[in-house]
Amino acid sequence: MAELLITGGAGFIGSHTCLVLLEAGHRLVILDNFSNSSAIASKRVAELAGVAAQERMLVLEGDIRNSNDLDRAFNSMENGIAAVVHFAGLKAVHESVQLPLKYWDVNVAGSRCLLEAMQRHNCRTIVFSSSATLYGYPEQIPIPETTRVQPINPYGQSKAAVEQLLDDLACSEPGWRIARLRYFNPVGAHSSGCIGEDPKGIPNNLFPFVSQVAVGRRAELQVFGADWPTPDGSGVRDYIHVMDLAEGHRAALEVLQREEPQLLTLNLGSGKGHSVLEVVQAFEKASGQPVPYSINQRRAGDAACSVADPRLAAERLGWYTQRSLSDMCRDSWNWQKANPQGYSQKQQ
Ligand SMILES: NC(=O)c1ccc[n+]([C@@H]2O[C@H](COP(=O)([O-])OP(=O)(O)OC[C@H]3O[C@@H](n4cnc5c(N)ncnc54)[C@H](O)[C@@H]3O)[C@@H](O)[C@H]2O)c1
């Protein structure tokens, strides 16, 4: 059992990871400014974890760019904070092209503030949410961690900058225990349907879009490009169930705490690629609902294919994905069906 600070813990990946960490017996402080999430997500995590676990979770509203908020979080536990799982950040690629300063502020300056607070509070263990976006147009498929980092948008640049910052920190002080986890495409929801992905505004990612079409919130899906060099012409991605991803965080924390200080850089993906049209078909099957779509031109900045080589994570963490595309569709649909307006409908 350890005291953990979870930044962005009310968000999509954060909420599912909090549940897994509570179930593993940890004590959590969540720091979130709710700019892209709802406090209801954390309430539901507490309900799912059960009465005994609820006492081990504290939710604080605050910003990672504010050192007072960070100090409040670090001081909230009697025994201090042993490790940080750092999810807080902005993640919309296309918004980042429009608003690069915002992305450098929240993702890079925010991470720097957090790392300064960790130094102040003598905490040297961090799991960082990085992204496969930093591979840009990948040079090989599947993509190993040794592939060149060459982001093609400000979001990817901001993740690469934080990775570099962590690298510099690990070199400057040997005591740091750091995991940089490069996620591929997290989707799905907890099997209860009580927590899931609830993006504000128009979804940027395929799964929430598809499920909002299936539930009747949006008329049709726009497929960007049917002329990619892939088997059916639509883009291919490596989708990972959010519960597999959450379990990957627990495994990374365990390795960091058990082994000597180190810097780990790992892909978290399934190693399997699925095309947009395959996802549409699988979703229709899981939901029993039609998902109408139209074919549009390719979007600038998209790659044909992105699939992880997940072998290093399996070797270092003993972790690999266990849930299939149909599990991802079933669980996304369960969540969407039970919460057609996301968390907002239950706000009272
Ligand atoms: N979902 C993906 O496709 C994906 C892929 C790769 C990497 N990531 C990274 O994983 C992390 C979590 O992603 P997610 O999908 O759960 O996103 P999310 O938006 O659901 O979660 C991020 C959380 O951080 C909070 N937050 C944002 N700015 C903050 C700030 N300044 N201070 C405190 N809290 C703040 C938001 O309110 C939200 O709860 C992000 O860093 C993201 O870049 C996500």
Side-chain angles (χ1 to χ4, degrees), residues 7-14 31-37 62-65 86-91 106-107 129-132 155 159 183-186 197 205:
T7 73
F12 171 45
I13 305 167
L31 182 69
D32 201 303
N33 68 359
F34 303 115
S35 57
N36 196 39
S37 57
D63 198 296
I64 53 164
R65 294 164 295 178
H86 178 30
F87 295 106
L90 305 176
K91 61 169 183 178
V106 176
N107 291 3
S129 298
S130 189
S131 169
Y155 169 63
K159 290 291 176 190
Y183 315 155
F184 277 66
N185 290 67
E197 186 168 13
N205 295 333

Side-chain angles (χ1 to χ4, degrees), residues 137-172:
Y137 302 115
E139 287 167 346
Q140 62 188 111
I141 301 288
I143 308 170
E145 289 81 354
T146 47
T147 301
R148 195 145 35 115
V149 168
Q150 43 188 356
I152 51 173
N153 52 59
Y155 169 63
Q157 297 283 10
S158 72
K159 290 291 176 190
V162 179
E163 282 212 0
Q164 183 62 55
L165 184 50
L166 292 168
D167 206 4
D168 292 346
L169 211 49
C171 291
S172 73

Side-chain angles (χ1 to χ4, degrees), residues 35-322:
S35 57
N36 196 39
S37 57
S38 159
I40 296 172
S42 299
K43 281 198 191 118
R44 296 217 188 151
V45 166
E47 282 162 19
L48 287 169
V51 180
Q54 285 165 19
E55 290 165 8
R56 288 188 277 109
M57 186 170 111
L58 174 68
V59 182
L60 299 177
E61 182 165 358
D63 198 296
I64 53 164
R65 294 164 295 178
N66 181 320
S67 50
N68 292 330
D69 290 348
L70 286 164
D71 286 341
R72 194 159 49 98
F74 277 96
N75 290 329
S76 65
M77 291 275 166
E78 212 176 304
N79 301 328
I81 297 288
V84 175
V85 188
H86 178 30
F87 295 106
L90 305 176
K91 61 169 183 178
V93 168
H94 295 279
E95 183 191 52
S96 81
V97 177
Q98 250 106 60
L99 302 169
L101 293 178
K102 190 173 163 189
Y103 276 69
W104 280 82
D105 182 35
V106 176
N107 291 3
V108 183
S111 297
R112 196 208 66 224
C113 280
L114 171 67
L115 292 165
E116 284 170 353
M118 289 179 71
Q119 284 189 319
R120 274 199 304 285
H121 294 272
N122 204 22
C123 174
R124 299 279 190 282
T125 303
I126 182 167
V127 176
F128 170 60
S129 298
S130 189
S131 169
T133 308
L134 50 70
Y135 295 120
Y137 302 115
E139 287 167 346
Q140 62 188 111
I141 301 288
I143 308 170
E145 289 81 354
T146 47
T147 301
R148 195 145 35 115
V149 168
Q150 43 188 356
I152 51 173
N153 52 59
Y155 169 63
Q157 297 283 10
S158 72
K159 290 291 176 190
V162 179
E163 282 212 0
Q164 183 62 55
L165 184 50
L166 292 168
D167 206 4
D168 292 346
L169 211 49
C171 291
S172 73
E173 264 184 76
W176 281 89
R177 297 162 193 265
I178 299 172
R180 304 184 299 189
L181 303 181
R182 295 175 177 169
Y183 315 155
F184 277 66
N185 290 67
V187 300
H190 186 259
S191 56
S192 63
C194 293
I195 53 172
E197 186 168 13
D198 182 22
K200 295 203 168 147
I202 299 171
N204 292 292
N205 295 333
L206 178 64
F207 259 73
F209 212 110
V210 167
S211 50
Q212 290 188 9
V213 171
V215 86
R217 238 172 104 176
R218 300 191 187 276
E220 66 170 21
L221 170 75
Q222 289 178 294
V223 176
F224 295 105
D227 55 353
W228 294 103
T230 59
D232 66 17
S234 64
V236 168
R237 295 290 177 275
D238 182 334
Y239 296 98
I240 172 171
H241 195 295
V242 66
M243 291 305 294
D244 279 331
L245 188 57
E247 286 159 11
H249 287 76
R250 181 183 57 197
L253 264 175
E254 281 168 13
V255 166
L256 287 183
Q257 292 183 310
R258 189 173 65 230
E259 295 183 359
E260 290 299 305
Q262 63 182 313
L263 173 67
L264 272 173
T265 305
L266 300 171
N267 285 340
L268 295 188
S270 70
K272 294 184 201 84
H274 293 287
S275 74
V276 174
L277 298 181
E278 261 183 273
V279 169
V280 168
Q281 253 187 4
F283 208 94
E284 286 182 329
K285 195 168 167 206
S287 65
Q289 300 297 315
V291 178
Y293 64 85
S294 64
I295 304 285
N296 292 264
Q297 290 200 331
R298 294 179 182 186
R299 266 186 320 195
D302 278 348
C305 183
S306 170
V307 177
D309 179 340
R311 285 176 299 176
L312 191 58
E315 189 185 304
R316 294 295 292 110
L317 307 182
W319 168 92
Y320 47 88
T321 61
Q322 299 189 344

